[in-house]
Each structure stands twice: as C-alpha cells, then as structure tokens.
C-alpha cells in the first residue's frame, strides 16, 4: 500500500522506537520524509535495536539518529529533545509511544509495579509533551498562518475505554492519557499545536506475544476482534503519520481507534 502522507521537511521524535509499534512509526514517518529521532531506553539491547532502525531508515535514503533516554526521567527527556535540536535544528512532531505493562492481580500488585507503569505510560508522556511544547513555542513565538506550530500524537490503547482486569495500572495510565491528551489539545489549540491520540487494539508486537504466539491464544484473541485479524505495527503507523501531517490540520483532541473493531463490544453480536 502506497504512503500518501507527506512529512518532508519535518522533524519527529518517536519514543520507544527500538521495537514494536514505535519502530513501525519511526519507519513510516521516515518513509513519508520526516527526519526521525529514534528514542530507546539507555541499555545495550535497546541501543542495538535502535541502531538497526536508524540503519534501516538511512539505507532507504532517510535521516535518523538514535536518542537514548528513559522518558520517565526529567533530565533524560531534556537531553533527548536536545538531540533533535542539535542534529536536525528543530522539532515538528512528537509521537508519545513508549509504554510498558506490569500485570498482577490487584491484591498482589506492588507499589513499584503500579508506579513504574504510571511513570512510563503517563508521567513520561507528560514530560515529553511539555518538552515538545517548549520547542514548538520557541520555533513559533506566534502561531503560523498556514500550518500547525507542532503536532503531538499519543499512543494510547483500547484500554483507555475498555477496563482490563489484572492490568489496573496499565488501564489507569491509558485512561489518564485520554484526558491528558484532550486537556492539552484544549489548552494548545490557540497556539496551533495539535494534540491527538491513536488507540491501538491488539497489535503483533513483543509486548503481547503470549496473546498471539500460539494457535490457541490467537483463536481466543480473534474472538475479541470483529475484523478477524491481529493488527500489525504498520496499521498503527499509517494512522499516526496522517494525524501528524498537515493533511490532518483541522483535527485536534481526537482519539483514533485502530483496533479492528475491538471497542465495538463484539460479544454483543447476536447476543444481549
Ligand atoms: C496492550 C496489548 C493488548 C491490547 C488489546 C494494548 O494496549 O498493550 O497487550 O493486546 O491492548 O488488549
């Protein structure tokens, strides 16, 4: 399928871009012409994977640089945004993708499991959004006439609306992302900064491998997906590229579910 979104001349930071959905988004934005900072956690394995993403982009004729940072840490986030400035002299797009899961029955969930998920999935998205807004406002002290001053796309989840037993920390973080996104959209629209979310359903990535990597688990998973297939990172990436682009110039404060119908309560088809 051909990419019809044009991001040439734009600079993007994608958090958690060394694997899964983040990697798919980084590749898609670069294919659409953006220069991309490929964020990864500062450890050897993530750095190696991020380097592979950077290499794939540059080999295809694009521009990318790796950006190590634990996005739940304020000083790391400042450094990450410094890389976009130093290397690409600006910022137009932030994709707030990095996220983790730490499932546990609530009676066994440790404060650390609760806190870590909130720190990465919610506080990290706040820290990166704040840094992005500061960059956008510096570049555009007054709102530009014909385009946005910047675009933020949160990667949320169907679990911003679907409750998730044994993942209360994760669902709470994504519920928080929903109102964080809408509040920022309301606050920043007069500055012509657009803020939206993409909410993926079940996408084939390492985070949910047990849900699809055996024939039995895949059969169970597909019962939740009316469209009849698991999602791929590129399904999400295409939606992100559009929301980040000038083609979506009048779209702000919106959550676009990319879930094959998971949020349509498929259990009610012919029942209830
Ligand atoms: C989670 C996945 C899960 C999907 C649908 C996502 O937000 O990260 O693990 O498969 O929601 O339940």
């Amino acid at each position: 399928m051909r990419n019809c979104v044009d991001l040439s001349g734009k600079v993007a930071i994608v958090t958690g871009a060394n694997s899964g959905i983040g990697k798919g988004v980084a590749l898609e934005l670069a294919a659409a012409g953006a220069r991309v900072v490929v964020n990864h956690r500062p450890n050897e394995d993530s750095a190696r994977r991020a380097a592979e993403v950077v290499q794939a982009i540059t080999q295809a004729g694009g521009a990318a640089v790796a950006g190590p940072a634990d996005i739940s840490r304020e000083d790391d986030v400042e450094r990450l945004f410094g890389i976009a400035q130093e290397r690409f002299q600006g910022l137009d797009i932030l994709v707030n993708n990095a996220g983790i899961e730490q499932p546990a029955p609530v009676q066994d969930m440790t404060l650390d499991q609760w806190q870590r998920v909130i720190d990465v999935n919610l506080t990290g998205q706040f820290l990166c959004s704040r840094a992005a807004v500061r960059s956008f406002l510096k570049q555009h002290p007054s709102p530009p006439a014909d385009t946005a001053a910047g675009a933020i796309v949160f990667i949320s989840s169907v679990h911003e609306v679907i409750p998730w037993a044994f993942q209360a920390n994760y669902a709470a973080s994504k519920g928080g992302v929903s109102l964080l996104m809408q509040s920022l959209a309301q606050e920043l629209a007069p500055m012509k900064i657009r803020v939206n979310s993409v909410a993926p359903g079940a996408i084939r990535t390492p985070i949910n491998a047990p849900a699809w990597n055996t024939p039995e688990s895949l059969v169970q998973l597909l019962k939740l997906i009316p469209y009849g297939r698991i999602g791929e990172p590129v399904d999400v990436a295409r939606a992100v590229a559009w929301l980040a682009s000038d083609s979506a110039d009048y779209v702000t404060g919106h959550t676009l579910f990319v879930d094959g119908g998971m949020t349509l309560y498929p259990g009610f088809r012919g029942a209830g």
Side-chain angles (χ1 to χ4, degrees), residues 111-216:
L111 178 58
D112 190 58
Q113 285 174 316
W114 170 267
Q115 196 67 57
R116 191 68 197 132
V117 169
I118 298 294
D119 282 352
V120 174
N121 296 12
L122 187 56
T123 308
Q125 298 213 4
F126 155 70
L127 288 173
C128 290
S129 300
R130 186 182 67 176
V133 169
R134 287 175 178 165
S135 295
F136 297 156
L137 293 178
K138 211 157 148 198
Q139 269 169 228
H140 302 279
S142 49
D146 52 348
T147 178
I152 299 175
V153 182
F154 288 83
I155 303 300
S156 180
S157 164
V158 289
H159 298 295
E160 73 167 49
V161 293
I162 302 179
W164 209 12
F166 312 110
Q167 299 251 21
N169 47 1
Y170 184 87
S173 74
K174 296 300 184 178
V177 163
S178 168
L179 271 175
L180 173 61
M181 180 279 286
Q182 291 176 70
S183 300
L184 296 187
Q186 190 190 64
E187 182 172 332
L188 298 168
M191 285 82 120
K192 294 200 74 182
I193 296 171
R194 296 187 304 104
V195 189
N196 292 286
S197 289
V198 170
I203 308 299
R204 194 194 309 270
T205 71
I207 204 173
N208 60 355
W212 52 263
N213 68 3
T214 67
E216 298 76 31

Side-chain angles (χ1 to χ4, degrees), residues 225-246:
I225 310 173
Y227 204 60
R229 70 168 172 87
I230 189 169
E232 303 296 337
V234 72
D235 291 310
V236 179
R238 287 193 190 114
V240 173
W242 177 72
L243 275 175
S245 77
D246 292 337

Side-chain angles (χ1 to χ4, degrees), residues 24-68:
V25 169
L27 295 173
E28 187 73 15
L29 298 191
R35 290 165 286 163
V36 182
V37 179
V38 177
N39 163 248
H40 62 88
R41 263 185 288 184
N43 64 52
E44 226 173 88
D45 184 52
S46 302
R48 186 179 47 76
R49 287 164 194 269
E52 286 167 9
V53 176
V54 169
Q55 197 185 18
I57 291 172
T58 48
Q59 272 174 0
V65 62

